[in-house]
Amino acid sequence: MEICLGISIGSLLYLLVRCVISGFYTLEQNERAVITTFGRAERVLGKTTLDDPVCEHLPQSDRERYCYPQVRVVGPGAHFKLPWQKVHKVSIAIETANLAYDPITPQANSGGTILEAVTKDQLNIGISGQLRYAISERNLYAYLFGVKNPVAHILGYFVSILRERIANFEAPAKDSLPLAEDQPAPEGIDLEGISINDLRKNLNLLNEQMDQECLSSAARYGIILDASLITGIDPPSEIDSALAAINTANNEVSSDISVANAFADQRIVESKKAVEIQTMRAEAEVQPLRWLAEQLKQLKDSGKDAIPAYLRNVRLDLYQRARRIILDMKE
């Protein structure tokens, strides 16, 4: 009897100590957790992700498909759980992954270094860069329970959007040729801007389009695209030399156009200076005539004999300076 009582008390003490010790857990500052009780996450009654701002950018047609329950999220600090509960920890810190990284098949995409894509002009190119992403604290249900392998799934989602953007990318027409702002495009030249050079010149635009297209990823899979950083776009090796020749020709054309624009600007400045000089000369010639007209007006206002007297004085001055005078006799 005493042996059975001792075993029972010992078992109870063991279970009590084990439950107490294993019941405490802590979360770091960049960690969040969801508690499940017998496999079911603790929900916020009557609330779904559709009631949260995280679904702001989710299309109306996908709202029913990606409607997840809101769950209670445990923040950083020390906590306690019951023995039949399980803690699902996640880190909300920003993660970085290579664009070509495949979590399921690491040897894919040349060992996770180059991501292949097809441009609108049917050219296979290689893309290198990084993706920065973070787990959304507002939709942990989708990340923990909605997708089996969320990181692999979301990276594939980001990559598929990037390939779709490249396949349909069209640079603004003004970037296709080094034309002046008001200069019309020459006839017969394609201005769609779909070449690899246009992609290289518009990496920022491509990254911004990626950010815009992935705004709904938090509502779909619980992961936020922080930034896409495309650092390199390489053509196939067989056309590399041809592309280099095209770039050289484009650079020469750009240089010639810049020189022509500079020469034209110089001629315009010189023309403006010439017009200004001629205007000043004309003003200098007109000014004595204006002064003489003003003097004659004052003489006319001073009396009716002033003008004849002035003309007589002028005529006498001319007689004194003349060497020969010819008189015309009136009949």
Side-chain angles (χ1 to χ4, degrees):
M1 185 62 183
E2 293 179 354
I3 295 175
C4 294
L5 182 60
I7 293 175
S8 300
I9 294 174
S11 299
L12 289 175
L13 291 174
Y14 172 76
L15 291 175
L16 179 62
V17 172
R18 182 175 178 80
C19 291
V20 171
I21 294 176
S22 63
F24 285 103
Y25 65 95
T26 59
L27 297 176
E28 301 293 338
Q29 284 296 326
N30 61 346
E31 288 183 331
R32 302 293 184 271
V34 174
I35 307 298
T36 56
T37 304
F38 297 115
R40 178 182 173 83
E42 184 178 355
R43 289 164 165 74
V44 179
L45 293 178
K47 296 292 185 181
T48 66
T49 50
L50 298 182
D51 302 318
D52 194 274
V54 74
C55 291
E56 179 182 0
H57 301 285
L58 189 65
Q60 192 67 31
S61 58
D62 294 338
R63 286 179 172 267
E64 184 178 356
R65 179 182 178 185
Y66 295 102
C67 179
Y68 298 109
Q70 289 190 24
V71 294
R72 190 176 72 86
V73 179
V74 182
H79 305 279
F80 180 79
K81 71 175 182 64
L82 298 175
W84 50 86
Q85 292 181 324
K86 184 178 179 181
V87 181
H88 300 266
K89 293 183 180 180
V90 296
S91 173
I92 60 172
I94 294 177
E95 303 283 348
T96 302
N98 195 304
L99 270 174
Y101 174 63
D102 189 338
I104 298 178
T105 311
Q107 63 273 20
N109 300 327
S110 302
T113 56
I114 298 295
L115 177 68
E116 293 186 353
V118 181
T119 62
K120 195 171 184 178
D121 55 352
Q122 304 301 313
L123 181 66
N124 291 326
I125 61 174
I127 306 172
S128 57
Q130 292 181 337
L131 290 174
R132 295 194 312 185
Y133 62 92
I135 298 173
S136 174
E137 182 181 349
R138 312 184 70 91
N139 194 13
L140 285 182
Y141 186 94
Y143 176 76
L144 291 173
F145 313 113
V147 183
K148 184 177 180 180
N149 191 341
V151 174
H153 193 88
I154 197 65
L155 288 179
Y157 174 74
F158 292 153
V159 168
S160 64
I161 289 180
L162 176 61
R163 282 175 166 159
E164 188 269 340
R165 287 288 84 199
I166 290 176
N168 297 286
F169 181 81
E170 292 183 7
K174 65 180 181 180
D175 293 340
S176 298
L177 284 177
L179 301 175
E181 184 176 356
D182 299 331
Q183 183 178 357
E187 296 182 359
I189 295 182
D190 187 7
L191 293 178
E192 287 186 339
I194 60 175
S195 67
I196 188 172
N197 287 330
D198 296 302
L199 284 170
R200 285 173 168 171
K201 289 188 296 184
N202 294 277
L203 285 181
N204 289 335
L205 178 60
L206 196 59
N207 289 327
E208 290 175 359
Q209 290 180 347
M210 270 287 294
D211 296 341
Q212 188 68 27
E213 291 289 334
C214 295
L215 286 176
S216 63
S217 63
R220 295 173 185 269
Y221 311 113
I223 294 182
I224 306 168
L225 175 66
D226 181 69
S228 62
L229 306 172
I230 301 173
T231 56
I233 296 179
D234 300 320
S237 57
E238 56 268 21
I239 68 165
D240 198 8
S241 58
L243 189 62
I246 293 173
N247 289 335
T248 301
N250 283 334
N251 292 335
E252 291 178 354
V253 171
S254 300
S255 176
D256 293 341
I257 291 176
S258 298
V259 172
N261 287 335
F263 180 73
D265 293 340
Q266 182 180 3
R267 294 302 300 268
I268 291 173
V269 172
E270 291 175 354
S271 300
K272 289 182 179 178
K273 288 291 184 183
V275 171
E276 185 177 352
I277 292 172
Q278 292 300 327
T279 302
M280 294 177 64
R281 287 179 177 176
E283 289 288 339
E285 293 179 358
V286 169
Q287 190 62 31
L289 297 177
R290 290 178 178 173
W291 178 81
L292 180 59
E294 183 66 23
Q295 294 295 321
L296 292 175
K297 182 179 178 183
Q298 292 179 2
L299 289 174
K300 181 180 179 181
D301 296 338
S302 61
K304 61 180 181 180
D305 297 332
I307 294 297
Y310 172 76
L311 292 176
R312 185 190 59 190
N313 293 334
V314 172
R315 189 178 297 111
L316 290 175
D317 182 62
L318 291 176
Y319 288 160
Q320 290 177 355
R321 287 187 292 174
R323 294 181 179 179
R324 184 178 298 174
I325 300 174
I326 299 175
L327 298 178
D328 187 14
M329 297 295 294
K330 293 183 178 179
E331 294 180 355

